[in-house]
Structures are given as structure tokens and as C-alpha cells.
């Protein structure tokens, strides 16, 4: 493996802890030698070897957490997307009911974090050219998945239409097959739920420039540009700029929409925040010890109050507690596609609360907060969630294909509640089958590569202990 990112050990999205484990011992040793007040630094009385081992273990735990969070977001993304067809009780109750933070926000932020971590390491080892080349290789892989889905959906749409079937979800491929498919391949439009990979590719194209800015000490200027771009998204100008293009296309007989739903100018702020934190983490400069200070404890309670307020606001909007006309106005203004400030602030508050509970909660002296902090760590390091996160690109792709099939198959159908819930569970189980299948293929590929290397080089003489396989795969 070339050390580049893939939404967690897959060729595409950012990599799992297993991918980074090969370099974690070196990273932990750097922490020991620097002697900084790092969140993962260790007591000077500890031997260097024990400190390095503990540093490796702690880094792997935090990388495992990232995998677990990614798996969680994938799981509930699947539930949210298919429950519009099933209307299962099991799919109605989730974290979407408790505020304005949904799975895509966490997905984009964590992707930025892991990209920052991995590509900063590549920048340090191979320089700017090596880092830029690695980014382009990942973009090529992600785009391959996106393009294959687009072509497959177009073929399915035209094939079904030939038989007199026209799924609503694929209607744009039927109405304007050449124009819509071409625009989709150019990442300027897309059918339902196809915007996340397109967004990710656009952000990845900017990643080398962002990392070089951080590397040269220009992070504050990048932050200013990021905030300015987010402000531009709120002005509505990027959306307005799409209208003349749509009119020209319509006049030419190609009435397609332009836009991938996710406004790149708005959503980039989450990605680059994560990217910068990942950059700091890679350089052993992400010191989270400040979260244990009394001031941050007070800030934690203010953030909790904010989270509760946003949750109440969400319920008020969804359940009609607000006057109808005002509610309609607010729904129009609070635009998720542009990353409206309500979505952004709620996410930042959630992020702070979870980070505080993980870092400061266990040692806070408050049993409830300690329980919550340890509980979050326990939940997001469970093997099922981590396993999904380690194969995210394949799982994400499969979830989209299954969502399209389910929306087509369930159109106009109303099943008994038992079947709705059963099919919901089966769709979730299918994600794990995909992850298992990809893991099996990866294992077979590694075995073939290992056997080929042995055949080419011949048997290697055994001298002393055999290398630890966990650090050589």
C-alpha cells in the first residue's frame, strides 16, 4: 500500500487505524522524545520503550475511534436513506431527532481529519510532490467508484425504460441521458444522494494547497479564506450562478439541474477544520489537555445547554410547536445544502461536548460524566462499527446501490410493519456482508502479493525473531 488515504483502509475514503499502525510506533516515540505537554504524552519516569508502546496503543485507540464513528455514520446514513421507503419504527428513532447534526456532517469532518493525518505524514516523508501525487491517486480511485455508479445507473435507467419501467429516482438519466450523465461525470450534478463523493473529490483537489499552507504557517489565512467561502455560500450567490447555466442548457434542449446538493463553498468549512486538526495530530501538536481545565469544564456545560437548545428547536420545527408561517420561513432559510449556521453551530457544539467527554470526562470526578466518556469510547470501539469504518468506500457505494433498488422496488407499496422492520434490519446486515467481502478480497490480495514476492526473491533466511506481522503488513 502506498500510504495514501481511502475512506478507511479502502481505496477512496481515508484509511483505518490498521493502515496507519505501521507508523504509529514512530509517532509515539516522537511524542516521548519531544517531551511536550501533548494530550498523549507520558510520564518522564516511564522507560522509553514502555512510553513508546503506550503511545502506540493510545494512538491506535484514537484511530479506532475514528473508524467507529465512520461506521456509525454509515449505519445511520443507510437507515435514514431507506426508511423513507420502509417507514419502519426501528428507523424512526435516532440521533437525527436530537438536533441539526446528521451523518454527512460527521462524515466530512472525520474525512478531513484522517486525510490531514495521513497526507501530512506523506508530506513529511516524501515532500510536496509525493504528497500531491498521493492525493491525485486517491482522487482517481474515488472518481472510479463515482463514475462506475453513474454509468451503471444510466444503463439501468435506459434498460428499464426500454421495458416500460421508469424509476423516479433514475428519471433524469432517461429524460436527458447524454447531458445528465456527462454533467454527472463532470461532478457538477448528480442524482439523489450522489453528491457526497463529488463533494469529497472537489475538497480533495484543494487538499495539497491547504496542507502546504498549514506547513508554511499560513493556517490562519486559510481559515480566513474558509470562513469567507462559507459566508459566500450563505449569500446565495453560488446557487444564483447556476441559474444562467441551467437556462442555457434548457434552451439547448437539455433541461437538467446544476448542483450536487452539497454547496462546496459551505461544506468545506467542516472538512478543512478536520484537515487542520489532523495536520496537528500528525505533527504531535494536537494538545487536548486544555480540555481538563476548570474554564473548559464551564464551557462544557454551556455547550451542553446549547445542544439541548438546538434539540428543542429541532423538535419544535418538526412537531409544529412553532406557528405555521414562521415555521415555513425558517425551513426555507435553514438550508442544509449550504451548511446554514444552525447546522454548523450545532455540529461544533456536539463536537466540543463529545471531545470533552472523551478527554476530560473519565477524570472529571463526576461519576455520570465519567460514565458517559467511557461509554462513548466503548461504543465507538466496538468491532461491528469499526469494521464498517474500515471498509467505508465499498460500504458507502453498496449503500447507495441498495438505496436506489429499495426506492424503486418499494415505490407505491405499503408493507405490514413487521416486514418493514425486518427489511430494514436486512438492509443493515447487507452492509456488513459487503464489508466482509471486501476484507476477504483484501486478504486474498495480500496473500497473492506475499506469495509472488517469495517466488521472486526465494526463501528469506530466518535469523532471530520473526518480525511482528502487525507492523509489517
Amino acid at each position: 500500500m502506498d500510504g495514501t488515504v481511502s475512506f478507511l483502509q479502502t481505496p477512496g475514503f481515508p484509511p483505518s487505524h490498521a493502515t496507519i499502525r505501521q507508523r504509529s510506533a514512530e509517532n509515539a516515540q516522537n511524542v516521548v522524545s519531544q517531551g511536550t505537554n501533548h494530550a498523549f504524552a507520558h510520564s518522564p519516569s516511564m522507560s522509553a520503550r514502555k512510553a513508546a508502546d503506550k503511545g502506540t496503543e493510545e494512538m491506535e485507540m484514537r484511530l479506532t475511534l475514528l473508524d467507529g464513528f465512520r461506521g456509525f455514520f454509515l449505519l445511520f446514513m443507510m437507515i435514514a436513506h431507506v426508511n423513507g421507503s420502509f417507514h419502519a419504527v426501528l428507523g424512526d428513532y435516532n440521533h437525527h431527532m436530537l438536533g441539526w447534526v446528521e451523518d454527512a456532517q460527521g462524515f466530512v469532518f472525520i474525512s478531513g481529519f484522517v486525510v490531514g493525518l495521513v497526507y501530512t505524514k506523506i508530506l513529511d516523508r516524501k515532500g510536496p510532490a509525493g504528497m500531491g501525487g498521493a492525493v491525485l491517486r486517491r482522487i482517481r480511485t474515488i472518481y472510479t467508484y463515482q463514475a462506475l455508479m453513474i454509468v451503471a445507473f444510466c444503463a439501468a435507467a435506459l434498460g428499464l425504460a426500454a421495458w416500460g419501467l421508469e424509476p423516479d429516482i433514475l428519471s433524469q438519466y432517461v429524460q436527458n441521458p447524454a447531458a445528465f450523465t456527462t454533467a454527472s461525470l463532470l461532478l457538477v450534478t448528480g442524482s439523489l444522494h450522489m453528491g457526497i463523493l463529488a463533494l469529497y473529490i472537489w475538497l480533495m483537489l484543494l487538499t495539497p494547497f491547504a496542507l502546504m499552507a498549514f506547513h508554511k504557517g499560513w493556517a490562519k489565512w486559510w481559515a480566513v479564506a474558509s470562513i469567507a467561502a462559507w459566508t459566500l455560500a450563505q449569500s446565495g450567490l453560488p446557487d444564483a450562478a447556476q441559474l444562467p447555466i441551467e437556462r442555457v442548457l434548457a434552451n439547448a434542449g437539455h433541461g437538467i439541474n446544476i448542483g450536487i446538493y452539497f454547496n462546496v463553498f459551505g461544506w468545506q468549512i467542516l472538512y478543512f477544520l478536520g484537515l487542520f486538526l489532523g495536520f496537528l495530530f500528525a505533527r504531535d501538536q494536537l494538545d487536548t489537555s486544555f480540555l481538563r481545565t476548570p474554564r473548559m469544564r464551564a464551557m462544557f456545560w454551556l455547550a451542553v445547554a446549547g445542544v439541548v437548545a438546538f434539540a428543542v428547536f429541532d423538535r419544535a420545527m418538526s412537531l409544529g410547536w412553532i406557528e405555521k408561517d414562521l415555521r415555513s420561513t425558517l425551513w426555507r432559510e435553514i438550508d442544509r445544502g449550504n451548511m446554514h449556521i444552525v447546522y454548523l453551530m450545532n455540529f461544533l457544539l456536539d463536537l466540543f461536548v463529545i471531545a470533552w467527554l472523551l478527554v476530560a470526562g473519565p477524570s472529571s470526578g463526576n461519576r455520570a460524566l465519567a460514565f458517559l466518556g467511557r461509554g462513548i469510547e466503548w461504543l465507538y470501539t466496538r468491532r461491528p462499527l469499526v469494521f464498517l469504518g474500515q471498509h467505508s468506500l465499498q460500504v458507502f457505494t453498496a449503500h447507495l446501490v441498495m438505496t436506489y433498488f429499495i426506492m424503486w422496488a418499494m415505490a407505491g407499496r405499503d408493507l405490514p410493519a413487521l416486514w418493514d422492520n425486518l427489511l430494514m434490519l436486512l438492509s443493515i446486515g447487507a452492509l456488513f456482508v459487503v464489508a466482509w467481502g471486501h476484507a476477504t478480497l483484501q486478504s486474498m490480495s495480500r496473500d497473492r502479493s506475499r506469495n509472488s514476492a517469495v517466488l521472486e526473491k526465494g526463501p528469506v533466511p530466518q535469523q532471530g525473531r520473526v518480525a511482528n506481522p502487525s507492523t509489517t503488513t
Side-chain angles (χ1 to χ4, degrees):
M1 186 165 181
D2 59 10
T4 53
V5 182
S6 69
F7 233 123
L8 287 260
Q9 175 103 4
T10 59
F13 292 178
S16 69
H17 70 286
T19 305
I20 307 170
R21 179 165 42 192
Q22 298 176 31
R23 303 182 191 99
S24 60
E26 175 186 350
N27 182 75
Q29 186 59 52
N30 290 338
V31 173
V32 175
S33 63
Q34 289 173 2
T36 61
N37 185 29
H38 192 277
F40 313 133
H42 316 299
S43 168
S45 64
M46 193 180 295
S47 69
R49 177 63 179 271
K50 289 182 179 179
D53 289 345
K54 186 176 180 182
T56 300
E57 182 180 344
E58 291 185 351
M59 171 171 276
E60 288 191 10
M61 175 62 73
R62 283 154 181 79
L63 295 172
T64 300
L65 272 171
L66 294 177
D67 280 346
F69 273 107
R70 193 81 62 91
F72 174 87
F73 294 137
L74 278 168
L75 187 68
F76 280 93
M77 194 178 294
M78 180 70 178
I79 291 172
H81 287 167
V82 302
N83 203 44
S85 299
F86 291 137
H87 308 291
V89 174
L90 293 176
D92 287 336
Y93 298 97
N94 53 59
H95 62 286
H96 294 186
M97 301 177 63
L98 300 175
W100 302 82
V101 175
E102 299 177 5
D103 307 298
Q105 289 146 283
F107 225 60
V108 171
F109 171 78
I110 293 179
S111 297
F113 187 100
V114 181
V115 167
L117 167 61
V118 174
Y119 286 115
T120 299
K121 294 291 187 182
I122 296 174
L123 173 63
D124 292 342
R125 294 196 325 272
K126 300 182 178 181
M131 179 267 292
V135 171
L136 290 177
R137 286 192 294 275
R138 287 306 104 189
I139 290 174
R140 181 179 62 193
T141 303
I142 302 168
Y143 182 79
T144 299
Y145 276 79
Q146 180 82 346
L148 287 174
M149 280 194 290
I150 291 169
V151 172
F153 289 152
C154 180
L158 296 178
L160 289 170
W163 286 89
L165 302 171
E166 187 177 327
D168 289 341
I169 195 171
L170 298 174
S171 61
Q172 295 180 89
Y173 290 103
V174 177
Q175 295 164 6
N176 291 282
F180 186 73
T181 302
T182 300
S184 296
L185 290 170
L186 292 174
L187 307 179
V188 295
T189 192
S191 50
L192 187 66
H193 304 319
M194 289 291 285
I196 189 69
L197 286 185
L199 170 68
Y200 190 60
I201 292 170
W202 286 117
L203 295 175
M204 286 287 286
L205 286 170
L206 295 173
T207 292
F209 303 102
L211 289 180
M212 288 307 300
F214 302 159
H215 177 69
K216 294 181 178 181
W218 300 342
K220 62 181 179 181
W221 298 114
W222 193 272
V224 170
S226 181
I227 294 171
W230 175 82
T231 304
L232 177 64
Q234 309 316 304
S235 72
L237 290 176
D239 293 330
Q242 297 169 186
L243 299 179
I245 301 173
E246 291 178 352
R247 281 197 294 268
V248 170
L249 289 171
N251 292 335
H254 305 296
I256 64 172
N257 66 293
I258 297 297
I260 58 173
Y261 175 75
F262 297 100
N263 188 326
V264 178
F265 291 95
W267 281 74
Q268 54 77 32
I269 198 165
L270 296 181
Y271 177 85
F272 289 122
L273 172 61
L275 190 78
F276 181 61
L277 294 177
F279 170 85
L280 294 178
F281 188 80
R283 294 281 174 89
D284 299 318
Q285 296 171 358
L286 185 60
D287 183 0
T288 57
S289 61
F290 75 96
L291 291 171
R292 300 187 181 93
T293 62
R295 177 177 296 180
M296 288 299 102
R297 187 174 184 130
M299 291 295 294
F300 166 77
W301 289 115
L302 288 175
V304 169
V307 169
V308 172
F310 275 118
V312 172
F313 179 38
D314 177 48
R315 291 296 83 203
M317 290 286 286
S318 299
L319 300 178
W321 299 347
I322 298 174
E323 191 270 330
K324 183 178 179 180
D325 291 340
L326 176 59
R327 193 166 73 252
S328 298
T329 301
L330 289 173
W331 278 128
R332 286 195 300 271
E333 292 297 323
I334 303 174
D335 189 341
R336 178 173 175 261
N338 287 336
M339 188 50 61
H340 187 274
I341 193 169
V342 167
Y343 285 96
L344 178 61
M345 290 304 300
N346 198 171
F347 175 81
L348 294 176
L349 288 173
D350 280 11
L351 177 64
F352 179 81
V353 167
I354 291 172
W356 191 93
L357 287 171
L358 283 169
V359 174
S363 59
S364 64
N366 183 305
R367 290 185 179 181
L369 296 179
F371 175 80
L372 286 174
R374 295 190 184 99
I376 291 172
E377 182 172 298
W378 179 88
L379 175 63
Y380 291 102
T381 54
R382 293 311 88 200
R383 180 58 181 162
L385 292 180
V386 173
F387 188 59
L388 284 183
Q390 289 172 339
H391 304 276
S392 295
L393 181 57
Q394 286 69 32
V395 171
F396 179 84
T397 302
H399 123 270
L400 277 180
V401 174
M402 286 189 288
T403 296
Y404 273 53
F405 176 79
I406 289 168
M407 291 183 69
W408 171 58
M410 291 295 296
R413 292 179 172 85
D414 188 15
L415 297 179
L418 176 62
W419 280 104
D420 282 332
N421 287 279
L422 180 60
L423 290 172
M424 167 69 72
L425 293 175
L426 288 175
S427 69
I428 293 171
L431 298 182
F432 290 94
V433 173
V434 171
W436 172 82
H438 183 248
T440 302
L441 291 175
Q442 282 185 316
S443 178
M444 293 170 60
S445 177
R446 284 193 296 267
D447 289 343
R448 284 195 300 267
S449 299
R450 193 177 298 115
N451 292 337
S452 297
V454 170
L455 290 174
E456 290 177 5
K457 298 181 181 180
V460 179
Q462 297 287 328
Q463 295 183 357
R465 295 177 60 190
V466 178
N468 183 351
S470 67
T471 61
T472 58
T473 54

